[in-house]
Amino acid sequence: MITANQYFRERFGHKMYKASISLNVTCPNRDGSKGVGGCVFCSDGGSGEFAAKCGDTISDQIAGTIDQIRDKAGKDAGYIAYFQNFTNTYCDPSYLEKSLEEASGCEGIEAVSIATRPDCLGNEILEVLCRQAERMPLFVELGLQTSNDDTAALINRCYETKEYVKAVSDLKSIGANVITHIIFGLPGETKEMMMETVKLCADSGSDGYKFTCLYVLENTALEKLFMNNEVEILEMEEYFDIVEDAIKLLPEDAVIHRFTGDGPKKILIAPSWTMNKRQVINYINRRFCL
Ligand code: SF4
């Protein structure tokens, strides 16, 4: 296992920070083309609560974020333009290309990362991404969450796992680095099912991973399930036992970009242990000898 920090230092020669960008996009499981309401755990912000405001130009969004973190990052740091909220390839290919070109031209940007869904990577979009991967390193983050299609239906993901397998292969063929998002603790999932997800990702060739425990946010469909006692939330030790076993299934060069997520405090209902970020980071550092 390699941490994201180690990986970025080796690849870019220094620390890398993310400058988040919001495009004017939505998701096919929100706008009715495949479903409505979005994934049951997803808030109205589309997993981009920490991203910049999409009313501003991309250059302004990037400059604003870099200004905020420049002192902390230091003068040697590099930046990744991070297209974070909703499904960033669910749009007109020319809009995506223009946005990528603008982001790539911003001062300090050395790479681009795009969060999306495997079912939103048609040929024209792949061509745009291929041209971007030729300009600078490209990371594509795929929200898989689980390989189990029954769980996927329960969480309203609205695409089949086989689409993820194809997407990883397509993205790798154009030179993109693939990062897969996986949630542990989804409703009805046993530890064996979670390990099946990890194995499928490793077999598909995912380069990196973002793990998170399932967390419940206000005004989501998951909140209702949680209030009806239909969802159990993992305790901290229990969750990191799963992460440790998951890492054992991955190749040695797999990059762990995130050991767990932390939902926005203002709307976080559970688990409460994720609220104490400092304590969780210390625990991760100790447990995984980072
Ligand atoms: S695809 Fe991503 S952004 Fe869209 S509803 Fe699901 S989790 Fe949220």
Side-chain angles (χ1 to χ4, degrees), residues 188-249:
E189 290 228 324
T190 61
K191 189 164 174 185
E192 287 66 36
M193 290 159 82
M194 299 178 217
M195 295 304 116
E196 282 306 315
T197 296
V198 176
K199 276 189 234 156
L200 176 112
C201 298
D203 290 347
S204 303
S206 179
D207 302 287
Y209 295 85
K210 281 191 171 180
F211 297 123
T212 189
C213 63
L214 180 69
Y215 51 78
V216 184
L217 300 179
E218 281 176 12
N219 296 321
T220 58
L222 188 64
E223 180 187 6
K224 292 192 191 83
L225 296 175
F226 179 72
M227 293 306 178
N228 289 336
N229 293 321
E230 290 173 55
V231 186
E232 276 183 41
I233 298 299
L234 296 170
E235 292 301 331
M236 185 166 85
E237 294 255 348
E238 196 184 5
Y239 169 74
F240 285 110
D241 285 348
I242 293 168
V243 173
E244 192 174 304
D245 286 347
I247 290 171
K248 288 181 192 152
L249 297 174

Side-chain angles (χ1 to χ4, degrees), residues 26-30 37-39 41-43 46-47 85-87 117 145 156-157:
T26 180
C27 301
N29 62 347
R30 283 179 173 271
C39 304
F41 50 82
C42 189
S43 65
S47 307
N85 68 331
F86 297 116
T87 299
R117 296 164 51 98
Q145 326 307 356
N156 199 36
R157 192 183 67 182

Side-chain angles (χ1 to χ4, degrees), residues 13-34:
H14 46 65
K15 261 190 130 168
M16 296 290 281
Y17 289 83
K18 282 187 173 147
S20 298
I21 297 159
S22 297
L23 286 190
N24 191 11
V25 290
T26 180
C27 301
N29 62 347
R30 283 179 173 271
D31 69 359
S33 76
K34 286 203 167 170

Side-chain angles (χ1 to χ4, degrees), residues 5-250:
N5 242 335
Q6 292 165 334
Y7 171 79
F8 288 134
R9 274 189 189 279
E10 197 161 305
R11 182 156 184 193
F12 296 93
H14 46 65
K15 261 190 130 168
M16 296 290 281
Y17 289 83
K18 282 187 173 147
S20 298
I21 297 159
S22 297
L23 286 190
N24 191 11
V25 290
T26 180
C27 301
N29 62 347
R30 283 179 173 271
D31 69 359
S33 76
K34 286 203 167 170
V36 289
C39 304
V40 292
F41 50 82
C42 189
S43 65
D44 289 343
S47 307
E49 283 78 10
F50 307 113
K53 297 271 172 296
C54 75
D56 298 338
T57 65
I58 285 168
S59 309
D60 286 347
Q61 291 184 45
I62 290 177
T65 312
I66 292 182
D67 273 353
Q68 279 172 25
I69 57 177
R70 195 188 306 276
D71 286 349
K72 177 185 161 210
K75 62 176 174 26
D76 295 332
Y79 295 90
I80 301 170
Y82 183 29
F83 293 78
Q84 184 179 9
N85 68 331
F86 297 116
T87 299
N88 290 284
T89 60
Y90 186 49
C91 58
D92 192 291
S94 62
Y95 173 59
L96 179 64
E97 181 134 49
K98 223 169 117 264
S99 305
L100 287 168
E101 281 171 354
E102 185 175 344
S104 308
C106 289
E107 203 189 329
I109 295 299
E110 296 179 27
V112 164
S113 188
I114 300 178
T116 189
R117 296 164 51 98
D119 57 341
C120 296
L121 292 164
N123 288 343
E124 278 186 79
I125 290 287
L126 281 172
E127 282 166 21
V128 170
L129 295 182
C130 183
R131 286 192 284 278
Q132 179 59 33
E134 285 163 4
R135 270 193 286 271
M136 60 174 56
L138 173 69
F139 298 85
V140 179
E141 303 193 10
L142 297 176
L144 175 69
Q145 326 307 356
T146 175
S147 64
N148 186 291
D149 279 327
D150 292 335
T151 310
L154 197 71
I155 63 171
N156 199 36
R157 192 183 67 182
C158 295
Y159 73 81
E160 290 183 53
T161 294
K162 63 184 180 198
E163 295 174 80
Y164 163 82
V165 176
K166 179 178 184 308
V168 177
S169 160
D170 288 346
L171 288 167
K172 290 185 72 87
S173 76
I174 59 156
N177 183 295
V178 178
I179 299 170
T180 304
H181 290 217
I182 297 175
I183 297 179
F184 294 135
L186 286 168
E189 290 228 324
T190 61
K191 189 164 174 185
E192 287 66 36
M193 290 159 82
M194 299 178 217
M195 295 304 116
E196 282 306 315
T197 296
V198 176
K199 276 189 234 156
L200 176 112
C201 298
D203 290 347
S204 303
S206 179
D207 302 287
Y209 295 85
K210 281 191 171 180
F211 297 123
T212 189
C213 63
L214 180 69
Y215 51 78
V216 184
L217 300 179
E218 281 176 12
N219 296 321
T220 58
L222 188 64
E223 180 187 6
K224 292 192 191 83
L225 296 175
F226 179 72
M227 293 306 178
N228 289 336
N229 293 321
E230 290 173 55
V231 186
E232 276 183 41
I233 298 299
L234 296 170
E235 292 301 331
M236 185 166 85
E237 294 255 348
E238 196 184 5
Y239 169 74
F240 285 110
D241 285 348
I242 293 168
V243 173
E244 192 174 304
D245 286 347
I247 290 171
K248 288 181 192 152
L249 297 174
L250 298 176

